[in-house]
Amino acid sequence: MFKKILRLLSAFALIFAFAYPAAAQNRVIDGRVIDSASATPLPGVTIRIKGTSSGTTTDATGSFRLPLPAAASELIFSSINYATQTIPITDQNNLVVKLALSSQLLEGVEVVSVGYGTLNKREVSSAITHISAKDLKTVAANNPLMSLQGKVAGLTISNTSTADPNSSPSIQLRGVSSRSAGLGPLYVINGVPGGNIDNINQNDIESIDVLKGGAASAIYGTRGGNGVIIITTKKGSGESKLVYNGYVTMDRLTMVPDVLSPDEFRKNRINASTPRGFEFGGNTDWMKSVTRQAAYAQKHTLQISGGTPNDNYFASADYRNANGIDLRAYKKEYGARLNVNHTSKSDVYTVSLNVAPRYMHTSNSDQGNFNNAITLNPTIPIYDSTGKYNFINTGFFSNNPVENARLIKSEAQIKELDMSGSLKVNLMKNLFSTVTVSTIKSSYKNLNFRPSTLTTIVHSGQVTKTNEASQEQIDNDQRNIEWTINYALNIKRNHVKVLGGYSYSYFNYQQFRAHNFDFPFDAFLWNNLGSGTWNGGDKGNGQDAVSSTQNDSRLASFYGRVNYDFDNKYILTASLRHEGSSKFGAANKWGNFPAVSVAWRISDESFLQDKISWLNDLKLRADYGITGNQDFDSYKSLILYGGYGYFAFNGQTYQVYGPSQNVNPNLGWEKAINFNAGIDFEILDSRISGSLNYYVRTNKDLLANYRVPLPPNPQTETFANVGTMKNSGIELQLSAAVIRRKEFGYNLSFAAAYNNNKFVSFSNKLYHGDPYRDMAGLPAPGSPGTIQRLQEGRRIGDFYMLKSAGVDENGSLLVYKKDGTIVPANQANADDKQFVGNGLPKVTGSLGNVFTYKNWDLNIFLRGNFGYKLFNMQAFYLGTPATQTDANTLKSAYDPKSKYSKLTNPATTALASDYFLESGSFVKIDNITLGYNYSVNSKYLQAIRIYGAVSNLHTFTSFTGGDPDLYPVNDITPGVQGNPRTNTYNMNFYPATIQILAGIQATF
């Protein structure tokens, strides 16, 4: 019996001996990879079997499934920005692997937002720049993107009135892209296209991704032509915490125009051999009189966050109170943000909610007051002998700027609300669908009042239209729905991600305005418009008492994208958006926006991998994409009817209507054809990393008004797609850990961009325009005319004016005529104008320096523009001895070392020439921030940070017209002081300031 049992056991042992290797050979291991700190799943992690080339990657949920050979003993887990981890293979099947962030990380960023999703940086095949919150500048600005200024190569952020608490920057990516449509990028905030950038607290920002390549932004179709900026706000995770961040700032004037003092005015203007001014007996520093000695501001933010991977929350509230350096401007705002996310226990669905309300009360600056301040005779007193405001009717402007600043009111009440909710359902392991519904609302109430006590009213003897008040209500409403489906598939070394989606957006604009004069009391301000007697009332003198309008538009689109890579080395991305807009003409409602990009991680090839020890990563990229621009008013394609006056018939008055706009059924979007080639690299143990991009963007079908025959058209101009423009350039972005020691570190960042622009054509087969347009017309005194020309085959911003040939012994400006002869400027004419310079910077750059020592950190940031000209508006109008009688001048007008002091003949000084062109190149100590961090071992307080910052500390430049940063370099007429969007060019300006900031951050 015992022998039978022994034989049976031997047989089983023999079977198991042969069967076990087969079972081991066919074993499959499952697992999940998560972040060790937040426990969030990590997609795209590479898992390899040690000693073999076999492996796989994790899917969108961080999960993986991998067959194991018999000899497998260890698995290697690696992901960019995470420390590589080796795990021994045991009998355990469902692995949970936790990866920690690499201690050598330079940027600390795992994924990049690419539009309708995120990608691992290793998978990106287009030109995208990622900026994390810690990389943003410490600056108290009205717009959060001012903290991004200079950080992204090719992104130009220009603010000509930084110290105005209500100012907004002009933002332009890779050069000017349009004549009449919008130039700014599309903002996507927490996945919602068209987000309100003004409703963002800088402290709430987690990261900013700038989509520069056409292949990246083409997924947004008709709104991606000027690039896309994706802003992601913070979310809660891990242990609950409360963070307070508050600061106070002080702004003081810097680089102000240096005009004559009262005594200098008397000496050089009043008592001159040929008097150019009058004595009024006063001693007034007008610039000082219209500004605050210092402008103070404060901001406080309170944030609370926490939760688990399944349930997390983030809430913040902020308050800001800021004064402008002028007497009138201020801004008070209150904002909040709530972000809540819930994932079911079985990971079947995720629900997210974002709510962000904001209220602002503003008082608007009057930049004309600074213009008045530098031109007024300094011997004129502010007040007369009775203590009332002095009546001024001499010089450039006949008004009292202090009186205007104190008595004229221009205020606004602004309400904003951004809301979005999304539902994500995991239909299968690698398949999920998301529906997002959002609304973006903004409401503006503009309030204006001019009192009857103004000296210009009193001394003119007016009996009607004395005081004036108005209210205007503007409401913008945007509603969106986005439905996307995502699928991921990994087959051995082949990795595929597929996105499909539908988008619909509705935009509505409403405006109502009421306006009146002659109120019985100034105390009513704008609160009793019906009591005015000019419009309506017992007079009924006007038809402008009320006005209102409304317009809307719709966008609908279908889009898809495929991301494929083989072995994380060969990457291909293709996308297509099919989009229609109600703004377009009846024959051109829909358009297609394709894109394709490829990348090759050459550093992973065997012929490089072990051959170049200092090379950590090298990726070659190329992309091509078509994007659009439909940022223009609604109804431009339709025939519109407007009022043609009134006529009386049978005792009644009737409004006459007629066509006010030509129809254009072919009106469509501006089209941008983008090509980009680039390199991403990391070298020297990843201590140095960066990217280099070369791009070409051709903008076709530019929108503008073009002259047409009358008849058959009812109007002389039609809004049409005509013209072509081209931008090309090179961008370089670098970061380096120069010193990396235990207690001391020095990190360096560098960004530079070169842009070349050319306006190709004004015409097409249907519309034939002139080969040029004269731009930037200067105001009186004199008849300066236009000073720039936009011409086919040349760059935007070309100055076109008389070319100077020096100054003769009579103090007359000499210029070259067309035939090369030299004559006084007043003997030349418009035919003698020449191209004499350009106002568009050729190169922009920045240099960031971050030093850390123990608990201290110091950030020094430099920024500059190079290779362009500025028209010195102040020198032209106020910089010569021949300046208009009784106007003040710059001190340089009487400084023998200044070339402008030679122009003493009034007959030639009002003629524009390149004599007033100066280099605008500058390098600015833009921001210095010093901080101290201290960890607290307390159950009430975890950490505290105290920091201080100085902005706009000093500007190195040869430009004599003040801070060159105050001259616009974006838009269609760069280098000329003014507003090209409204076609107004003058000396109105807002002075530069140095800003000093002190703040504290406490984590509880």
Side-chain angles (χ1 to χ4, degrees):
M1 183 68 180
F2 176 78
K3 291 182 178 180
K4 290 183 178 180
I5 295 174
L6 187 60
R7 291 193 192 102
L8 185 61
L9 291 174
S10 299
F12 277 111
L14 188 62
I15 293 173
F16 280 122
F18 285 101
Y20 179 76
Q25 177 69 33
N26 296 324
R27 182 188 173 194
V28 176
I29 189 170
D30 296 283
R32 194 162 181 254
V33 183
I34 62 175
D35 184 289
S36 62
S38 64
T40 55
L42 296 180
V45 176
T46 300
I47 303 117
R48 290 191 180 276
I49 302 171
K50 188 174 182 179
T52 73
S53 60
S54 301
T56 186
T57 59
T58 57
D59 60 19
T61 64
S63 301
F64 68 90
R65 185 177 179 85
L66 179 64
L68 297 177
S73 60
E74 292 179 319
L75 296 177
I76 301 173
F77 294 79
S78 62
S79 179
I80 190 167
N81 297 332
Y82 283 87
T84 300
Q85 190 173 155
T86 302
I87 303 293
I89 297 174
T90 65
D91 294 338
Q92 183 180 356
N93 188 41
N94 293 315
L95 292 180
V96 177
V97 180
K98 300 179 180 179
L99 294 188
L101 285 170
S102 171
S103 60
Q104 298 180 350
L105 191 60
L106 291 181
E107 294 184 0
V109 178
E110 179 208 348
V111 293
V112 175
S113 296
V114 294
Y116 301 106
T118 59
L119 286 177
N120 188 297
K121 284 174 60 178
R122 295 173 62 89
E123 301 173 301
V124 174
S125 55
S126 185
I128 300 176
T129 299
H130 182 96
I131 301 292
S132 63
K134 67 180 180 61
D135 296 319
L136 300 176
K137 293 189 299 184
T138 302
V139 58
N142 184 49
N143 187 296
L145 290 187
M146 288 302 295
S147 62
L148 194 63
Q149 191 177 32
K151 293 287 186 178
V152 178
L155 181 68
T156 306
I157 301 176
S158 174
N159 191 344
T160 58
S161 52
T162 306
D164 182 353
N166 302 305
S167 65
S168 294
S170 167
I171 299 175
Q172 191 171 278
L173 185 62
R174 291 184 166 180
V176 183
S177 58
S178 177
R179 282 187 60 202
S180 301
L183 298 174
L186 171 70
Y187 299 109
V188 179
I189 300 175
N190 291 328
V192 178
N196 189 349
I197 189 63
D198 292 325
N199 193 13
I200 294 284
N201 177 3
Q202 180 180 332
N203 295 316
D204 292 346
I205 294 177
E206 179 69 26
S207 65
I208 300 176
D209 292 280
V210 181
L211 278 56
K212 298 189 290 186
S217 53
I219 195 69
Y220 290 103
T222 59
R223 292 185 286 177
N226 299 322
V228 180
I229 295 181
I230 300 177
I231 299 177
T232 304
T233 60
K234 295 176 180 178
K235 297 181 180 179
S237 63
E239 184 179 350
S240 177
K241 63 180 179 180
L242 176 69
V243 178
Y244 164 78
N245 198 328
Y247 63 73
V248 294
T249 67
M250 178 182 70
D251 283 74
R252 298 185 69 92
L253 287 175
T254 184
M255 301 184 75
V256 295
D258 195 7
V259 296
L260 297 177
S261 67
D263 289 340
E264 290 169 332
F265 186 87
R266 291 183 177 96
K267 174 185 175 181
N268 294 292
R269 303 284 285 171
I270 297 174
N271 300 324
S273 57
T274 303
R276 302 286 295 173
F278 305 104
E279 174 65 66
F280 292 94
N283 292 280
T284 305
D285 185 336
W286 284 106
M287 192 68 183
K288 183 178 180 180
S289 300
V290 297
T291 58
R292 295 183 171 103
Q293 184 177 2
Y296 295 96
Q298 58 178 310
K299 183 173 182 178
H300 308 275
T301 302
L302 196 63
Q303 300 170 329
I304 184 170
S305 62
T308 66
N310 282 6
D311 295 282
N312 57 75
Y313 60 90
F314 173 86
S316 75
D318 63 89
Y319 164 73
R320 178 175 178 239
N321 186 350
N323 288 321
I325 199 67
D326 65 301
L327 297 178
R328 197 170 78 180
Y330 68 78
K331 183 174 188 178
K332 295 180 180 178
E333 63 178 312
Y334 310 83
R337 181 171 296 274
L338 175 65
N339 185 324
V340 180
N341 301 276
H342 167 71
T343 301
S344 64
K345 291 182 179 180
S346 55
D347 201 26
V348 174
Y349 65 87
T350 299
V351 180
S352 299
L353 174 67
N354 286 276
V355 181
R358 186 165 297 273
Y359 172 78
M360 292 167 274
H361 185 190
T362 70
S363 178
N364 302 312
S365 65
D366 182 357
Q367 296 192 10
N369 273 352
F370 294 112
N371 188 345
N372 294 350
I374 63 174
T375 59
L376 277 174
N377 182 332
T379 70
I380 299 176
I382 301 174
Y383 305 98
D384 62 19
S385 57
T386 65
K388 296 181 179 179
Y389 288 111
N390 198 13
F391 173 59
I392 299 174
N393 63 347
T394 184
F396 272 76
F397 308 101
S398 300
N399 54 63
N400 189 322
V402 179
E403 178 187 28
N404 290 349
R406 299 291 188 189
L407 299 184
I408 297 175
K409 297 184 179 298
S410 175
E411 299 181 9
Q413 297 173 6
I414 306 170
K415 299 175 182 177
E416 296 175 338
L417 177 63
D418 297 356
M419 291 192 302
S420 66
S422 66
L423 172 64
K424 173 185 173 183
V425 179
N426 293 315
L427 304 173
M428 296 170 56
K429 183 177 181 180
N430 296 335
L431 177 67
F432 65 89
S433 179
T434 306
V435 175
T436 302
V437 179
S438 60
T439 180
I440 303 170
K441 294 178 178 289
S442 60
S443 174
Y444 303 83
K445 180 181 283 187
N446 298 315
L447 308 167
N448 294 280
F449 178 73
R450 298 174 64 91
S452 61
T453 56
L454 290 177
T455 55
T456 53
I457 299 294
V458 173
H459 285 264
S460 66
Q462 286 183 226
V463 294
T464 60
K465 286 194 172 183
T466 53
N467 48 18
E468 177 185 5
S470 68
Q471 284 199 30
E472 182 183 39
Q473 181 70 38
I474 297 176
D475 294 298
N476 286 288
D477 185 11
Q478 176 183 343
R479 303 172 192 173
N480 311 286
I481 183 169
E482 300 273 357
W483 180 21
T484 61
I485 297 177
N486 289 265
Y487 177 70
L489 177 65
N490 297 324
I491 303 176
K492 294 184 178 180
R493 289 184 288 175
N494 297 276
H495 313 125
V496 181
K497 295 179 181 178
V498 181
L499 162 74
Y502 167 76
S503 175
Y504 176 82
S505 297
Y506 172 75
F507 307 86
N508 184 265
Y509 170 89
Q510 295 182 346
Q511 180 261 358
F512 175 82
R513 182 174 180 268
H515 179 222
N516 213 340
F517 298 89
D518 298 335
F519 304 95
F521 308 105
D522 285 343
F524 282 160
L525 299 179
W526 43 70
N527 296 311
N528 195 350
L529 296 179
S531 66
T533 59
W534 179 261
N535 288 319
D538 63 343
K539 295 284 197 309
N541 290 313
Q543 300 292 338
D544 63 341
V546 294
S547 64
S548 62
T549 187
Q550 177 180 359
N551 63 70
D552 64 4
S553 64
R554 294 165 175 82
L555 271 176
S557 58
F558 304 87
Y559 51 88
R561 181 174 62 213
V562 177
N563 297 90
Y564 168 78
D565 77 78
F566 176 76
D567 200 24
N568 291 318
K569 288 193 296 187
Y570 312 108
I571 302 169
L572 170 67
T573 301
S575 68
L576 175 66
R577 187 176 182 111
H578 181 62
E579 187 162 53
S581 171
S582 63
K583 289 185 177 182
F584 303 151
N588 202 19
K589 291 290 187 187
W590 291 85
N592 294 315
F593 302 91
V596 62
S597 62
V598 294
W600 176 23
R601 178 160 290 99
I602 191 172
S603 56
D604 283 1
E605 296 290 354
S606 58
F607 59 81
L608 276 181
Q609 204 164 30
D610 300 320
K611 304 295 189 298
I612 305 177
S613 59
W614 50 266
L615 179 64
N616 303 109
D617 189 50
L618 178 63
K619 180 170 64 176
L620 308 181
R621 295 180 281 100
D623 67 76
Y624 173 88
I626 297 177
T627 55
N629 185 357
Q630 56 102 52
D631 189 6
F632 56 89
D633 293 339
S634 300
Y635 312 144
K636 283 289 189 178
S637 68
L638 306 176
I639 187 167
L640 299 182
Y641 288 83
Y644 268 59
Y646 299 84
F647 80 100
F649 181 74
N650 288 340
Q652 293 187 358
T653 300
Y654 295 88
Q655 170 79 65
V656 179
Y657 280 86
S660 60
Q661 177 178 285
N662 296 336
V663 64
N664 183 4
N666 296 313
L667 184 68
W669 58 93
E670 293 186 340
K671 184 185 298 182
I673 302 172
N674 305 268
F675 170 77
N676 190 101
I679 301 173
D680 299 329
F681 59 88
E682 292 183 12
I683 60 175
L684 301 178
D685 194 23
S686 297
R687 294 182 67 151
I688 299 177
S689 64
S691 64
L692 178 67
N693 286 288
Y694 168 74
Y695 67 89
V696 178
R697 183 182 67 202
T698 303
N699 296 87
K700 293 186 175 182
D701 301 329
L702 300 182
L703 291 160
N705 286 307
Y706 285 83
R707 297 191 67 83
V708 292
L710 180 71
N713 298 283
Q715 297 294 327
T716 59
E717 291 187 336
T718 295
F719 194 68
N721 297 96
V722 185
T724 301
M725 188 187 309
K726 184 177 180 180
N727 284 275
S728 60
I730 299 173
E731 299 166 348
L732 176 64
Q733 201 101 23
L734 290 173
S735 61
V738 181
I739 300 175
R740 193 164 59 195
R741 296 178 181 172
K742 184 176 181 181
E743 291 189 340
F744 179 73
Y746 169 38
N747 287 345
L748 180 145
S749 63
F750 176 75
Y754 165 81
N755 175 265
N756 186 37
N757 171 278
K758 185 168 89 170
F759 199 92
V760 178
S761 173
F762 276 104
S763 305
N764 62 13
K765 293 181 181 179
L766 184 61
Y767 299 93
H768 297 278
D770 296 328
Y772 64 85
R773 296 286 190 278
D774 287 325
M775 316 284 288
L778 300 185
S783 302
T786 59
I787 62 173
Q788 282 194 349
R789 174 170 283 187
L790 184 61
Q791 181 167 310
E792 292 180 351
R794 300 192 66 94
R795 295 180 78 207
I796 283 176
D798 270 344
F799 286 102
Y800 188 76
M801 59 180 84
L802 297 174
K803 184 176 181 180
S804 66
V807 180
D808 66 14
E809 65 277 3
N810 298 318
S812 298
L813 175 69
L814 299 177
V815 299
Y816 290 96
K817 286 184 67 66
K818 193 173 184 178
D819 59 7
T821 59
I822 298 175
V823 297
N826 57 338
Q827 297 179 21
N829 55 48
D831 291 336
D832 297 315
K833 290 183 176 182
Q834 303 181 41
F835 289 104
V836 290
N838 189 278
L840 191 66
K842 289 184 177 180
V843 176
T844 59
S846 68
L847 180 67
N849 305 271
V850 179
F851 303 88
T852 57
Y853 176 70
K854 294 184 178 180
N855 294 337
W856 292 91
D857 58 82
L858 174 65
N859 191 330
I860 303 175
F861 189 76
L862 309 177
R863 177 174 57 84
N865 294 343
F866 310 93
Y868 68 115
K869 299 287 187 179
L870 298 178
F871 184 79
N872 192 333
M873 194 80 79
Q874 293 173 3
F876 180 71
Y877 285 102
L878 303 176
T880 71
T883 294
Q884 179 177 319
T885 299
D886 213 36
N888 203 355
T889 69
L890 301 173
K891 289 184 179 181
S892 57
Y894 297 94
D895 181 357
K897 297 179 181 179
S898 170
K899 69 175 184 177
Y900 300 117
S901 66
K902 300 176 182 179
L903 293 174
T904 58
N905 190 339
T908 62
T909 52
L911 299 170
S913 75
D914 67 343
Y915 196 81
F916 298 94
L917 285 185
E918 298 182 21
S919 171
S921 298
F922 70 89
V923 173
K924 185 185 293 286
I925 304 177
D926 198 41
N927 186 265
I928 298 178
T929 303
L930 176 65
Y932 180 78
N933 304 278
Y934 184 68
S935 298
V936 181
N937 187 15
S938 168
K939 65 178 181 180
Y940 302 106
L941 182 64
Q942 298 179 25
I944 190 168
R945 171 175 168 80
I946 301 173
Y947 59 96
V950 181
S951 297
N952 197 28
L953 182 60
H954 185 75
T955 302
F956 302 93
T957 183
S958 62
F959 183 64
T960 64
D963 190 343
D965 223 10
L966 299 185
Y967 275 66
V969 293
N970 289 347
D971 222 300
I972 207 76
T973 54
V976 185
Q977 190 169 303
N979 185 350
R981 293 285 106 175
T982 58
N983 198 29
T984 55
Y985 302 89
N986 49 45
M987 285 198 299
N988 290 355
F989 74 102
Y990 203 94
T993 63
I994 295 176
Q995 184 185 83
I996 302 174
L997 180 149
I1000 184 171
Q1001 178 178 310
T1003 303
F1004 301 92

